[in-house]
Amino acid sequence: MIYFDSAATLPLRKEAGEAYLSESLAHFGNANSPHAFGRESARSLERARKGILRLLGIEGTHRLLFLSGATEANNLALKGVARAYRSRGKRIISSSGEHESVLEPLKALAKEGFDVVLLPLDAATGTIRLEDLGAALDERTILVSLMAVNNETGAITPLQEVCELLRGHPKCYLHSDFTQGAFKGLPYPYGTADLLSMSAHKFGGPKGTGFLALRKDVLPSPLMEGGGQEEGLRPGTSDVPSALASWKALGLAKGEEKEAIRRASSIKAKILGYLSSRPEDFLVNSPEGGSPFLLDFSLRHKKASVVEEALSLRGIYVSTTSACSSRRDLPSHVLLAMGRKEEEARNAIRLSFSLLNEEEDAPKFISALEDIMKETIDSL
C-alpha cells in the first residue's frame, strides 16, 4: 500500500492510543466533579493543556480550549470574535481559498450583517497578495482569517508579513487555521496568530478532537450554552483521554519534524520532476516554496476521479480534493480562486506525504501513473 492522503487523516499513533486507554480505564473521573477522583482528572486535563501550549512555544501568551476539531475551532474563532467585538467594526477579511470550515461560517456572518471580504489567490504563489490585503484593511476591520498552509496546494501564507500590515490596525485580530502546519517546517512561530486552530487526527491524535489556542486578551462569545467547561466557551463533559492523547501525538510529531520534512521533500521532488517533464499531460498547481507535504496537479486529458480509482485498485491512495468536499464532485474552489479553468479545477489530484511513506514510493507511484495514462480510460 502507498498512502498519499496524509492531509486527509493519519492513523492513531500507538503511544497516543496507549495514553488514551490508560486514562480512560484508570482515571475516568469527570474533570468537573468536586471530589478527589474528579480533581485528578482535572489535573490531567490541565497538564495536557499546558503541555500543548509549551510544545507550540506559546505558553506565556496564549491559552488553549479543547474542542471537537479544527472545524469547531474555526467556527468559534470566527463567530465568537465577530459577535464579541462587533461594536469595534464589522469587517472580516479572508481568502477565497480557505477551507469550508472557514468559508461557511463567514457566509453565516455575512447574513448577520458583517462585511465579509474574500481576497483572490495569486496564480503563482497560491496565496493572497499582500497589496490586496492592505487595500482591504480599514478602521472597521476586526478580524483577518488566513490559513497557514493551504490544504490542497500546500501554499504557505506569509503570516509574518500579514502581521506587519495589521500593526496599524490594533482593533483587528489574526486567526489562522494551522491544520496542515502542525510541526511541518513553517517559517514562522505559532504565536504569529492571535487565534490558531488545529485538529488532532492530522498529526496522529484521535479523531473528534482538536483545539483553539487564543491570546489571553481575546474574549470570544460562546457558540453554545451549558455547564461552563472550557472557560464557558465549550460546554460539555471534558474528554480528558483525548486531550492527553493529542498532547502525546503532537509531541511525537515535533520530535519527528526534521526527518518528516526530509523524506517528504525527497518524495515530492521526484514526483514533481516527472510531472514537470510532461506539461502536455499535467498542470502543476502547487507553488514553488510551498509545503513539502503537499503536491497538487491537474490532468489535462483524463478524469481525475477515474485516475484516482485506477490508482486505488493498485493500492495507491490519493485524493481529488479536500476530503471534506470530495463526495460532491465539484471543481476545487481553491484552484478556481487561483484563476484555473473549471476543467482544470475539476480534474486535480492531491498527493500528501508523511512518515508513512518511504522514498521508493515515488518511483512506484510514477510507474503506476504512467501505465494508467497509457490505458484507454475516460478522457475529458
Side-chain angles (χ1 to χ4, degrees):
M1 179 184 80
I2 296 177
Y3 184 69
F4 278 171
D5 199 21
S6 293
T9 194
L10 286 171
L12 180 67
R13 290 174 179 266
K14 179 174 180 283
E15 299 89 340
E18 290 171 348
Y20 181 95
L21 187 60
S22 174
E23 188 69 17
S24 297
L25 296 177
H27 307 106
F28 55 85
N30 190 319
N32 288 98
S33 294
H35 49 65
F37 198 42
R39 292 196 299 272
E40 188 172 354
S41 291
R43 285 192 292 270
S44 293
L45 185 65
E46 293 312 304
R47 282 193 296 111
R49 198 187 311 276
K50 291 180 180 179
I52 289 174
L53 289 170
R54 194 174 303 119
L55 286 171
L56 297 174
I58 56 176
E59 185 179 12
T61 57
H62 290 63
R63 60 197 202 278
L64 187 131
L65 307 173
F66 284 111
L67 307 170
S68 63
T71 293
E72 184 180 357
N74 289 338
N75 271 266
L76 178 57
L78 295 167
K79 294 178 180 177
V81 168
R83 292 166 181 167
Y85 295 98
R86 67 192 309 159
S87 62
R88 294 182 178 182
K90 301 184 73 173
R91 173 162 284 204
I92 304 170
I93 302 173
S94 188
S95 87
S96 300
E98 298 298 307
H99 192 272
E100 281 90 345
S101 61
V102 167
L103 294 175
E104 291 302 315
L106 289 177
K107 288 181 183 178
L109 288 170
K111 292 179 181 178
E112 294 180 22
F114 286 90
D115 176 22
V116 175
V117 178
L118 297 180
L119 304 176
L121 302 182
D122 183 80
T125 66
T127 187
I128 64 158
R129 291 179 286 268
L130 291 172
E131 55 267 31
D132 290 345
L133 176 59
L137 285 167
D138 64 16
E139 70 282 355
R140 299 172 298 140
T141 308
I142 57 172
L143 184 63
V144 170
S145 179
L146 297 167
M147 67 199 325
V149 179
N150 187 276
N151 60 300
E152 293 188 24
T153 66
I156 297 174
T157 303
L159 289 184
Q160 285 185 316
E161 288 85 347
V162 170
C163 282
E164 288 300 317
L165 285 175
L166 295 184
R167 288 188 190 280
H169 300 270
K171 295 190 300 182
C172 180
Y173 290 118
L174 173 62
H175 165 253
S176 186
D177 183 343
F178 273 79
T179 299
Q180 298 298 338
F183 293 111
K184 292 185 176 180
L186 288 176
Y188 39 71
Y190 297 97
T192 303
D194 299 308
L195 304 97
L196 61 102
S197 310
M198 284 192 185
S199 192
H201 72 101
K202 303 292 187 177
F203 49 80
K207 292 179 175 65
T209 302
F211 50 82
L212 176 68
L214 59 169
R215 286 197 182 273
K216 293 180 177 180
D217 64 331
V218 182
L219 302 171
S221 297
L223 301 183
M224 299 184 291
E225 308 298 333
Q229 294 88 345
E230 297 300 304
E231 301 181 12
L233 294 171
R234 211 284 177 157
T237 302
S238 299
D239 188 349
V240 180
S242 288
L244 289 167
S246 300
W247 176 26
K248 172 63 74 172
L250 191 63
L252 293 169
K254 182 176 183 178
E256 297 168 352
E257 183 175 20
K258 289 184 179 178
E259 172 58 19
I261 292 171
R262 186 201 66 77
R263 195 179 303 180
S265 297
S266 176
I267 294 170
K268 180 176 178 177
K270 291 172 184 176
I271 298 175
L272 182 59
Y274 168 73
L275 297 173
S276 299
S277 72
R278 300 276 298 274
E280 68 279 8
D281 292 321
F282 308 111
L283 171 65
V284 176
N285 298 313
S286 291
E288 291 185 19
S291 170
F293 296 91
L294 287 149
L295 176 56
D296 189 277
F297 63 95
S298 294
L299 302 165
R300 295 191 186 275
H301 308 297
K302 304 290 185 181
K303 288 184 178 179
S305 58
V306 176
V307 172
E308 178 192 31
E309 180 60 21
L311 286 167
S312 179
L313 293 173
R314 289 166 168 78
I316 301 174
Y317 304 108
V318 305
S319 62
T320 52
T321 183
S322 165
C324 298
S325 58
S326 61
R327 296 185 183 276
R328 288 180 283 172
D329 193 29
L330 297 173
S332 163
H333 72 280
V334 174
L335 298 184
L336 291 176
M338 290 173 61
R340 295 290 193 257
K341 298 176 182 177
E342 183 170 338
E343 59 269 28
E344 295 168 343
R346 191 180 295 276
N347 285 287
I349 288 178
R350 181 188 72 175
L351 311 179
S352 48
F353 317 115
S354 70
L355 286 177
L356 294 177
N357 304 123
E358 302 294 339
E359 293 188 47
E360 56 264 31
D361 288 350
K364 291 177 181 178
F365 169 80
I366 291 169
S367 177
L369 181 61
E370 198 159 42
D371 288 344
I372 291 168
M373 295 300 290
K374 293 175 183 176
E375 293 176 359
T376 306
I377 58 177
D378 289 344
S379 58
L380 295 180

